[in-house]
Amino acid sequence: AAYDALVDEFVAAAGRVFPGAIIQFEDFANHNAFRLLRKYRNRVCCFNDDIQGTASVTVAGIFSALRVTQKRMAEQTFLCLGAGEAATGISDLLASAMVADGLTPEQARGRCWMVDSKGLVVASRHDLAEHKKAYAHPHEPVADFLGAVKALQPTAIIGVGATPGMFTKEVIEEMTRCNERPIISSG
């Protein structure tokens, strides 16, 4: 309650002192980040850098890569290494881009996958945070990132996890086995 009161006070004061200012939420824990963005997004001009800023830069990079591969957005399958604010924001924006390219929202979300510390985010898991549920699809559990790359054969992998060194030689080799021109991004 005290945390929310402080944020409310700040947002109100910023609006009074700097009318028309953009409020950037930065480095909020994910249990607050999504909630606060939903709370304020229609009240003040604001964005969450971890959710929306990282997504915009990453998806711009994906669009650039698609010019090189000469493939459509709707043909892609994305696998994020990480399942927090950045991965969710990226997946939301990728899904929107795929909808603009002709897919339904359900089809588009179905082409976006995530791996967290417990493995591939799948529908059968019962421990999922709310923000992961839209990207938890029916699939057998897969314990690790390399296994997820082998199982899903994504056209693009996007690294936004906190664990370094996960884009191993084996992961890159697997991406080149299943794609003529794989897209490999660090979000």
Side-chain angles (χ1 to χ4, degrees):
Y3 181 90
D4 286 353
L6 175 65
V7 175
D8 277 340
E9 184 178 342
F10 172 80
V11 169
R16 280 191 311 274
V17 176
F18 304 106
I22 298 172
I23 297 174
Q24 174 184 336
F25 296 114
E26 177 73 38
D27 291 331
F28 281 67
N30 67 25
H31 61 276
N32 289 319
F34 294 103
R35 181 178 62 81
L36 293 173
L37 185 57
R38 278 191 306 274
K39 179 177 181 177
Y40 294 109
R41 73 180 337 145
N42 294 319
R43 292 174 41 192
V44 298
C45 186
C46 66
F47 74 102
N48 181 294
D49 188 53
D50 296 325
I51 298 169
Q52 297 164 302
T54 302
S56 63
V57 172
T58 302
V59 174
I62 297 292
F63 273 118
S64 292
L66 292 178
R67 285 199 306 267
V68 173
T69 65
Q70 298 182 351
K71 303 284 184 184
R72 292 180 46 219
M73 181 65 80
E75 298 171 318
Q76 306 307 303
T77 300
F78 298 98
L79 177 60
C80 287
L81 174 61
E85 296 100 328
T88 303
I90 290 166
S91 296
D92 287 348
L93 193 54
L94 287 169
S96 292
M98 286 188 274
V99 168
D101 198 25
L103 297 183
T104 67
E106 295 76 23
Q107 291 169 325
R109 281 191 301 276
R111 299 184 76 80
C112 296
W113 296 81
M114 298 178 188
V115 171
D116 65 10
S117 62
K118 296 177 183 174
L120 186 63
V121 174
V122 294
S124 61
R125 285 183 35 193
H126 301 290
D127 63 339
L128 294 174
E130 192 62 35
H131 66 273
K132 296 179 187 183
K133 291 180 180 177
Y135 300 102
H137 311 301
H139 196 282
E140 292 297 315
V142 178
D144 63 5
F145 186 59
L146 177 58
V149 171
K150 288 179 177 181
L152 299 174
Q153 298 190 339
T155 55
I157 55 174
I158 302 166
V160 287
T163 307
M166 297 298 290
F167 281 22
T168 62
K169 178 181 179 198
E170 292 80 15
V171 167
I172 304 305
E173 287 174 346
E174 185 61 31
M175 286 296 292
T176 61
R177 269 193 282 283
C178 60
N179 295 286
E180 181 181 342
R181 300 193 82 161
I183 300 170
I184 300 170
S185 171
S186 178

